[in-house]
Amino acid sequence: MIPQNIIDEIRQRCDIVDVVSDYVSLKPSGKHFKALSPFTREKTPSFIVSPDKQIYKCFSSGKGGNIFTFIMEMEKVSFPEAVEMAAGRCGMDVSSHLKRTVRSDEDRSEHETLKWAARLFNRLLNSSDGKTGLDYLVTQRGLSQKTITSFGLGFAPDSWEYLLTHAERSSIPLEQLLKTGLAHRNPRKNSHYDYFRNRVLFPIFTVGGQVAGFGGRTLSHDKKTPKYLNSPESAVFEKSKLLYGLHAAKESIRKQELAILVEGYMDVLALHQAGLDNAVASCGTSLTAYQAKLLHRYTRDVLFLYDGDDAGLKSMLGGIDILVGCGVTPSIAVLPEGEDPDSMVRATGKTGFLDFIDKNRTSFTDFQIDFFRKKGSFDDPAKKSLAIREMLRTVSLVSDTVRRELYLQELEQKLGISMAVLRDIVSDAHGNTRRTPKSGEAGERREHAAGNPEMQQVSVLERTFLKALLESTWYGNEVLEFCASHEALLRLQNPVAVHILQHLLARHREHAKTHGAPVDVTTEIGSLPSPAARDLASELLLDQPLSERWQDSFDEQQQKAKRCLTAFLDSVRALVLGDFRDRKKALTEKLRTVTDLEQEKQLTADLNSLLREEQTTEIELNNMIGTIVQSR
């Protein structure tokens, strides 16, 4: 188990803005950063990150939390795995703590099983038993040991039970192997077998560096054997949502403001080895909108570099619309026939390869014109009309009006079609592809609200109380100490609100016993077991702060703290006295309908006692509140 002080240090060393930027494109917005939600489809940004508080809140999905919960959401990993990933970013090693943790079969995640398998395959590749695979990669494909190690390449032997046997020795449950696609069941024989056999393996990583699955290239000469085989689709492996090499290329893509998009694993490896480390591949599938959005997080420019055969040209043609529709500008370099990026960079080297790109890189409009002209579409008016409409449909997807106008001017000159006609066609195409974002986003928000009825029922008073309680932790322990000593009086109705209060009080008492340090609310948000509680706490902290109504002054921090404390104590007074009011109302209603004289006397006595208790409590509360406020 990772000690709490280590978790706190990791969270404090990592900047949530840097982490979140690996997954969404953040833009400054006042004191915060904003982005389109990574959890829903929206056109208006509702995802907020606070660098001061080191938390995030997505107002379209309702999700919120700190750096660890964000990694858990995006990478689909457990809390210890999220802490380990965050630790790796800030140069801390928590592996010794994780090794001491005894994990049950149920606790083992798919990512852990895949990581174990990747290490097993990699060790085999570099052993005497993996000579066949290593010879293929080094001798035939020209990869260096550094590249093989950096990308964790491996080898699966020509055996039906190699992985199964080692999994049993390592206490890896069979169910995990089946869930991750590493093993398959033979229903006729009621037996199981390794999915990857006699293949060199390419681990496919998430953006955060977690193994999600594998691609395998066969070493068999049997024509019936598929040349490439990917892990089957699973909860952690959706190849349409992954880009091979992105975990290694993302920083270079950011710096160069360009991504090179290729087709195959070997293309990525060869380009990275040559120093072109901004290359990624679409995992052997046609480019998807999700993959285009992944690229959009890091750059607005993508160079298509697929094979120059007919299939490659058609794939690039189809991918243009997807990229443009996601706000990315594609350019294309058509390789000579029979060449792919792997073979060409090995033949020409980095300098010759870059020189080829400089001379042959074209805009997507020029590529489309050249493609349709070579295809013969411009030889016939009917075919030319369809081709032009196809190109204009692409232009209609450009969101920037100025750029869209520039593309139309370019096409007017190159196609000999009047601007008026081009604009009419684009207008029609734009109308057909446009959607009404606000209604869709409203629907998503309604769906979230319907799925979280407890959050809907949090009263204004309880929200004010919790918000002030959470904000108060920035200034010390006084408010938590007050709550801990008067817990019996704090009767919250909403179960999520109760959960947050009880968790904070429990953590405050633990801290008081150990080191007396103030509770770190950012850390505590991440450790709240209930997702609904995490989401509500994050939302309250990213609302307009209670203290921001105060004007700046020389003692601004003190005034903010005092304002926060006053708001908290006001809400406490309302909560406590509100409870008395409800109890008085219930007794009064019973007195109104009672018929038995003895019962009436007892109820009257109870009501008088309650009134005295209320009066005494109100005086005590006012005195305590006055004392606490004055002490600030």
Side-chain angles (χ1 to χ4, degrees), residues 54-350:
Q54 289 291 297
I55 58 175
Y56 71 92
K57 177 65 183 180
C58 173
F59 287 92
S60 64
S61 69
K63 295 179 179 180
N66 62 9
I67 183 174
F68 302 128
T69 54
F70 182 79
I71 293 173
M72 289 167 68
E73 286 282 356
M74 298 305 296
E75 295 288 338
K76 308 301 180 192
V77 295
S78 63
F79 180 76
E81 289 173 300
V83 174
E84 184 181 19
M85 291 178 68
R89 295 182 67 98
C90 60
M92 293 180 66
D93 184 9
V94 295
S95 57
S96 59
H97 300 292
L98 293 172
K99 285 176 183 176
R100 291 200 298 266
T101 302
V102 179
R103 298 175 65 83
S104 67
D105 291 350
E106 290 75 15
D107 288 337
R108 184 182 294 277
S109 75
E110 285 91 338
H111 284 298
E112 285 180 303
T113 299
L114 289 162
K115 182 166 69 174
W116 167 84
R119 287 175 174 170
L120 178 70
F121 292 137
N122 179 256
R123 284 197 300 269
L124 180 63
L125 176 69
N126 290 290
S127 71
S128 57
D129 292 332
K131 187 176 183 303
T132 306
L134 194 62
D135 284 347
Y136 170 79
L137 292 172
V138 174
T139 306
Q140 296 186 46
R141 305 310 298 260
L143 294 183
S144 67
Q145 188 61 48
K146 180 182 177 182
T147 301
I148 289 170
T149 302
S150 297
F151 285 83
L153 305 190
F155 174 62
D158 193 7
S159 167
W160 292 90
E161 296 182 343
Y162 173 80
L163 186 77
L164 287 167
T165 301
H166 281 268
E168 187 175 358
R169 291 175 187 169
S170 301
S171 300
I172 306 291
L174 176 62
E175 183 61 30
Q176 284 287 349
L177 301 180
L178 296 172
K179 284 169 68 175
T180 54
L182 291 167
H184 274 221
R185 181 175 177 272
N186 185 330
R188 288 185 300 172
K189 295 183 179 180
N190 194 27
S191 61
H192 299 88
Y193 60 91
D194 290 0
Y195 185 67
F196 294 107
R197 302 179 306 281
N198 196 25
R199 291 179 182 272
V200 289
L201 294 178
F202 307 89
I204 300 170
F205 296 91
T206 65
V207 173
Q210 293 286 98
V211 181
F214 295 90
R217 203 279 187 193
T218 186
L219 299 181
S220 170
H221 298 292
D222 186 352
K223 293 183 179 179
K224 293 181 180 178
T225 302
K227 186 175 180 180
Y228 280 95
L229 185 67
N230 283 328
S231 291
E233 296 281 306
S234 69
V236 296
F237 184 72
E238 297 177 79
K239 62 182 179 181
S240 63
K241 295 183 177 181
L242 295 164
L243 286 166
Y244 182 71
L246 184 58
H247 73 290
K250 59 189 178 185
E251 293 305 324
S252 181
I253 292 172
R254 269 207 190 103
K255 289 176 184 176
Q256 298 185 47
E257 297 182 347
L258 174 71
I260 299 176
L261 184 60
V262 296
E263 286 185 279
Y265 306 125
M266 288 304 308
D267 295 329
V268 170
L269 296 172
L271 291 177
H272 276 252
Q273 184 167 286
L276 299 164
D277 54 359
N278 57 334
V280 296
S282 53
C283 291
T285 65
S286 297
L287 186 70
T288 66
Y290 195 99
Q291 291 169 333
K293 288 174 183 176
L294 279 178
L295 291 169
H296 183 265
R297 296 172 187 172
Y298 305 98
T299 183
R300 298 296 181 271
D301 291 293
V302 169
L303 170 63
F304 257 127
L305 208 60
Y306 283 11
D307 295 356
D309 57 16
D310 190 53
L313 295 175
K314 287 181 178 177
S315 293
M316 288 190 284
L317 186 71
I320 287 172
D321 279 6
I322 293 169
L323 287 170
V324 172
C326 292
V328 178
T329 302
S331 55
I332 293 91
V334 179
L335 297 174
E337 191 173 347
E339 294 280 11
D340 56 32
D342 170 29
S343 63
M344 189 165 182
V345 77
R346 282 196 286 155
T348 63
K350 180 181 179 180

Side-chain angles (χ1 to χ4, degrees), residues 273-456:
Q273 184 167 286
L276 299 164
D277 54 359
N278 57 334
V280 296
S282 53
C283 291
T285 65
S286 297
L287 186 70
T288 66
Y290 195 99
Q291 291 169 333
K293 288 174 183 176
L294 279 178
L295 291 169
H296 183 265
R297 296 172 187 172
Y298 305 98
T299 183
R300 298 296 181 271
D301 291 293
V302 169
L303 170 63
F304 257 127
L305 208 60
Y306 283 11
D307 295 356
D309 57 16
D310 190 53
L313 295 175
K314 287 181 178 177
S315 293
M316 288 190 284
L317 186 71
I320 287 172
D321 279 6
I322 293 169
L323 287 170
V324 172
C326 292
V328 178
T329 302
S331 55
I332 293 91
V334 179
L335 297 174
E337 191 173 347
E339 294 280 11
D340 56 32
D342 170 29
S343 63
M344 189 165 182
V345 77
R346 282 196 286 155
T348 63
K350 180 181 179 180
T351 303
F353 192 82
L354 290 175
D355 184 57
F356 173 84
I357 289 176
D358 288 340
K359 292 177 180 177
N360 293 274
R361 185 175 175 180
T362 63
S363 68
F364 69 85
T365 52
D366 282 343
F367 172 78
Q368 288 176 318
I369 291 171
D370 190 56
F371 177 87
F372 287 121
R373 180 171 285 126
K374 288 180 178 177
K375 192 180 174 184
S377 298
F378 285 1
D379 298 338
D380 175 81
K383 290 180 180 179
K384 186 173 183 178
S385 173
L386 291 175
I388 290 172
R389 287 181 181 275
E390 191 74 17
M391 286 184 280
L392 291 174
R393 189 171 67 86
T394 304
V395 173
S396 73
L397 297 171
V398 177
S399 57
D400 184 86
T401 53
V402 175
R403 285 178 57 221
R404 192 162 61 239
E405 182 73 9
L406 291 172
Y407 285 131
L408 289 176
Q409 290 176 7
E410 182 183 341
L411 290 176
E412 180 187 30
Q413 295 174 1
K414 293 179 178 179
L415 298 175
I417 306 293
S418 71
M419 181 63 78
V421 172
L422 295 177
R423 283 185 179 142
D424 281 346
I425 298 172
V426 166
S427 179
D428 290 342
H430 193 57
N432 290 334
T433 56
R434 192 179 349 184
R435 74 178 185 96
T436 308
K438 293 197 173 180
S439 62
E441 289 158 27
E444 285 175 343
R445 289 184 174 89
R446 284 195 298 272
E447 184 179 342
H448 163 66
N452 294 272
E454 290 177 337
M455 288 182 66
Q456 284 182 297

